[in-house]
Amino acid sequence: MSHNTTVSLVLGSGGARGLAHIGIIHWLEEHGYQIHSISGCSMGALVGGIYAAGKLDAFEQWVRSITKFDILTYMDFSFSKSGFVKGGRLMKTLSDLVGDRQIETLPIRFTAVATDIEHSKEIWLNSGSLFDAVRASISIPLLFTPFFYRDAFLIDGGILNPVPIAPTFHDNTDLTIAVNLSARPKDIREFLREETHAESTEEPSNFSAFQKKIGEFLALLQFAKSEQTVEEIGMYEVAVQAFDAMQEAIARQKLAAYPPDFVVEIARNACGTLEFDLADQMIALGYEKAREYLGMLAPGATPDTMLSA
């Protein structure tokens, strides 16, 4: 399918849940939408930056092959009190895979959003090294050490803006589509109902082979942890859950204040922050959610044409 509808794509933060961005991008491409601009923070900045550089296929092939053991090998542990992981090894791996680029030379407009921790303000990174911008944006508190860049200590952009719509305000595109990875948590029964519905209604696609895996994946998720007592939950898990809850609240506020044309929502408990070994399932989930939230769009549709229909 081919048409001329242009899109500003806003990719939210959420750790490994951000792999769903890949499936959403595939759905948009398959249905002929032209992504002209990307704004992202944390994992949204990583996936969006790599897509803007034209290397999403290489990244997807790599991330689909990651195992739990591989995740540990990419962690260059730090003895700093400010974070467990320095992040240099991961950035080196990605730079070797994708090739570092200057943001201003990318064929798609790109902005990575980070947080200046000292001055409590958003920082928009839309020039300079792509992977320096990504490294700043993915600095999840406690996990990654802050990244000193442009005379400031920068951390995860999701601290202040987990769905960074503002950088797209002046884009001359037909649609702004935001992906919120901090939607309200769901219990296992809701996920299984969605999976049953997807199997009964979805048309064949390149991702049909992964649909059956979604059900298996969802059944193995960490929802059993909801039965844990406070004493059984570790300190890091408490911090992660608190961070996710905070992002959920901020995302709701941002989306209400600056509503995009469409929002694709992924529940914040869809997978754990570091469960990158679930790439197949999260990519398939993103594709399915794009179909669910955007499937009503007709080729070439814009908000104006939909209102007048």
Side-chain angles (χ1 to χ4, degrees):
M1 182 185 296
S2 177
H3 53 74
N4 296 318
T5 303
T6 57
V7 171
S8 293
L9 188 59
V10 180
L11 301 179
S13 65
R17 296 192 302 279
L19 296 174
H21 292 320
I22 298 174
I24 292 165
I25 289 171
H26 283 317
W27 189 94
L28 289 169
E29 287 189 322
E30 283 185 14
H31 291 79
Y33 293 92
Q34 300 176 22
I35 301 171
H36 280 200
S37 169
I38 294 176
S39 171
C41 67
S42 199
M43 194 63 185
L46 193 154
V47 172
I50 290 174
Y51 176 74
K55 296 292 185 177
L56 188 62
D57 288 345
F59 172 75
E60 180 180 349
Q61 183 177 2
W62 171 74
V63 78
R64 284 184 185 274
S65 71
I66 287 179
T67 65
K68 290 183 184 294
F69 177 77
D70 292 332
I71 294 171
L72 290 176
T73 66
Y74 293 121
M75 300 295 180
D76 45 353
F77 291 101
S78 168
F79 294 102
S80 168
K81 295 180 180 179
S82 61
F84 294 129
V85 179
K86 291 181 287 187
R89 186 178 300 166
L90 175 62
M91 289 299 104
K92 176 65 164 57
T93 300
L94 292 174
S95 181
D96 290 344
L97 180 72
V98 174
D100 199 3
R101 300 273 295 278
Q102 297 297 299
I103 294 174
E104 55 268 37
T105 70
L106 299 177
I108 295 174
R109 289 194 303 277
F110 173 72
T111 301
V113 176
T115 299
D116 180 339
I117 189 172
E118 183 178 1
H119 299 98
S120 302
K121 65 179 182 180
E122 282 184 43
I123 300 295
W124 296 0
L125 302 171
N126 49 25
S127 63
S129 164
L130 172 62
F131 280 113
D132 280 349
V134 168
R135 172 62 183 87
S137 188
I138 68 169
S139 299
I140 302 173
L142 295 183
L143 179 60
F144 285 101
T145 57
F147 188 59
F148 188 73
Y149 187 56
R150 298 184 179 178
D151 298 321
F153 283 102
L154 303 181
I155 60 174
D156 195 311
I159 292 290
L160 295 179
N161 196 349
V163 191
I165 297 170
T168 69
F169 281 172
H170 300 294
D171 288 350
N172 186 25
T173 54
D174 298 316
L175 297 175
T176 297
I177 297 174
V179 183
N180 176 23
L181 302 178
S182 300
R184 67 176 183 85
K186 295 184 178 181
D187 64 36
I188 187 65
R189 290 165 296 182
E190 288 182 271
F191 275 117
L192 291 176
R193 282 198 299 270
E194 289 178 1
E195 170 57 15
T196 300
H197 175 73
E199 287 182 350
S200 64
T201 62
E202 180 165 294
E203 297 178 359
S205 73
N206 292 338
F207 286 85
S208 59
F210 298 110
Q211 297 306 315
K212 291 183 180 179
K213 292 184 180 180
I214 296 179
E216 300 170 4
F217 152 66
L218 294 171
L220 295 174
L221 285 178
Q222 55 189 6
F223 300 110
K225 294 179 181 178
S226 63
E227 299 179 357
Q228 290 177 316
T229 65
V230 172
E231 290 78 8
E232 291 173 325
I233 301 177
M235 178 180 66
Y236 180 70
E237 185 177 351
V238 170
V240 168
Q241 290 186 16
F243 184 57
D244 284 346
M246 177 192 72
Q247 288 194 108
E248 180 188 354
I250 297 172
R252 284 200 306 266
Q253 294 171 355
K254 293 290 186 181
L255 290 169
Y258 308 110
D261 296 306
F262 297 94
V263 180
V264 177
E265 296 204 321
I266 307 292
R268 67 177 173 89
N269 58 349
C271 78
T273 300
L274 295 179
E275 290 185 301
F276 290 96
D277 54 308
L278 299 178
D280 285 352
Q281 295 90 335
M282 289 309 302
I283 293 170
L285 181 62
Y287 188 90
E288 165 60 20
K289 287 297 181 181
R291 184 202 63 77
E292 176 184 336
Y293 284 96
L294 305 175
M296 80 294 290
L297 288 173
T302 67
D304 290 338
T305 60
M306 293 183 70
L307 287 172
S308 62

